[in-house]
Amino acid sequence: SHEDTMTLGKVLAAPGYFADSREAAQAVVKVLAGSELGFGPIASMTGVNIIKGKVSLSANLIAAAIKRSGRYNYRVRKMTDTECTITFFENGEEIGVSTFTAADAKTAGLNGDNWRKFPRNMLFARAISNGAKWYCPDLSGGPLYTPDELGATVDGETGEVIDVPVVVSTPAPASTNGMTELEQFATTYSD
């Protein structure tokens, strides 16, 4: 229920374990986004990120979604410091290959510390997210992005988002009728 979800959001935000979800509403959005993709609350809190208004998943969550789908699978064919090649399968039959190389990263202007320190991890993240977009789009109902594709700085070893680009917007004034942000959210989405 929405009430249970709101309570869960409060519980997840309160201890401050998740730096990007200091408020209950932020936690709720991550949990709801993850839930739509079949992930539980903790996996959602650690692997789902909302960046520039788009849902992004850690490469590990994208890989897990593919593996557990029962329909899709993948196999890493090559993983070096200069190339990652992943073959994708649907119902056991090969449907395509996704390769991301150091040359691709250079062309895209991806040259930060993580690309120097953890090139294999970063190449895998791009190859798996591209392959998921191209060959398994029905897993998410839309494109799957990794946080670094949306400009976030991630820990190359763990995939954890370190810094998110700031998007400045000025929301229209809203009447709160004395309600907290959480109560407004619950009222808005209780239908």
Side-chain angles (χ1 to χ4, degrees):
S1 75
H2 290 313
E3 188 174 301
D4 291 342
T5 303
M6 294 308 297
T7 300
L8 180 60
K10 289 178 187 177
V11 168
L12 291 169
Y17 294 138
F18 307 103
D20 63 341
S21 298
R22 299 287 185 194
E23 297 180 23
Q26 293 169 315
V28 167
V29 169
K30 288 179 70 159
V31 168
L32 289 175
S35 177
E36 285 185 16
L37 299 171
F39 296 108
I42 299 300
S44 298
M45 291 299 293
T46 59
V48 173
N49 296 282
I50 312 300
I51 301 170
K52 298 180 182 176
K54 292 181 171 67
V55 174
S56 69
L57 300 180
S58 68
N60 291 340
L61 279 188
I62 293 172
I66 293 167
K67 289 279 188 186
R68 70 178 188 184
S69 72
R71 179 176 175 186
Y72 298 107
N73 204 347
Y74 71 88
R75 182 168 296 133
V76 176
R77 297 293 185 185
K78 183 176 185 180
M79 190 183 311
T80 68
D81 285 352
T82 59
E83 178 181 331
C84 183
T85 298
I86 302 172
T87 304
F88 287 80
F89 302 89
E90 182 175 6
N91 298 321
E93 302 219 6
E94 184 176 324
I95 55 173
V97 176
S98 176
T99 298
F100 203 84
T101 66
D104 294 328
K106 184 177 179 182
T107 300
L110 306 173
N111 56 6
D113 281 346
N114 285 334
W115 284 92
R116 286 188 292 279
K117 292 178 184 176
F118 306 101
R120 292 167 35 117
N121 294 10
M122 302 307 283
L123 292 168
F124 173 80
R126 285 298 174 93
I128 198 77
S129 68
N130 283 342
K133 282 180 251 193
W134 300 335
Y135 306 117
C136 318
D138 55 321
L139 286 179
S140 66
L144 290 174
Y145 298 99
T146 57
D148 67 301
E149 287 178 284
L150 298 175
T153 304
V154 298
D155 182 308
E157 191 170 11
T158 66
E160 181 181 337
V161 173
I162 297 168
D163 187 36
V164 177
V166 176
V167 177
V168 178
S169 65
T170 306
S175 171
T176 63
N177 295 328
M179 291 189 281
T180 67
E181 178 185 349
L182 201 53
E183 291 167 331
Q184 289 174 20
F185 183 87
T187 301
T188 302
Y189 294 99
S190 63
D191 295 327

